[in-house]
Amino acid sequence: MSSIALSVTFTCLPEHRAAIVSALVQHRVRSLQTEPGTLQFEIMTPDDKADRIILFELYASQQAMETHMEGSSLAQFRAETEGQILTINVETCSHHR
């Protein structure tokens, strides 16, 4: 069974990016500490696009990803950033080792 990877791109107003990244850092810490199936959570900000944030997330299984998506940490992140994120694009991928 292959693990599940997500590539997530947020578009936001540039003036909100720092606050969103700060909330994502805390979300990453909570996810890695409390969700055993969350294996990796990377946050990247393109140097040439001040309105973008890109995430790479890796989960042990489909169930682990679903647990993350339904979890309290993601709900908290969504509440903290409500109205700051303009669009979210998610690509779900199989991750092969």
Side-chain angles (χ1 to χ4, degrees):
M1 171 161 57
S2 59
S3 49
I4 304 295
L6 296 182
S7 172
V8 182
T9 302
F10 295 132
T11 303
C12 62
L13 294 175
E15 58 265 26
H16 292 302
R17 187 163 88 165
I20 296 168
V21 168
S22 179
L24 279 167
V25 168
Q26 294 306 310
H27 174 44
R28 173 180 60 200
V29 169
R30 291 188 304 266
S31 297
L32 292 171
Q33 288 179 348
T34 64
E35 300 170 3
T38 301
L39 305 176
Q40 190 173 349
F41 193 123
E42 303 297 330
I43 305 163
M44 299 164 283
T45 52
D47 294 336
D48 63 341
K49 294 181 178 129
D51 66 339
R52 302 284 164 81
I53 302 165
I54 301 169
L55 307 180
F56 173 79
E57 303 173 29
L58 184 62
Y59 300 95
S61 65
Q62 179 72 30
Q63 179 60 47
M65 183 187 71
E66 290 171 8
T67 297
H68 173 79
M69 299 304 278
E70 298 167 359
S72 61
S73 182
L74 184 56
Q76 181 177 341
F77 168 75
R78 287 177 175 155
E80 292 171 350
T81 60
E82 187 175 352
Q84 296 178 5
I85 298 170
L86 302 175
T87 65
I88 302 172
N89 182 45
V90 179
E91 296 282 342
T92 303
C93 308
S94 296
H95 181 257
H96 307 277
R97 296 174 194 242

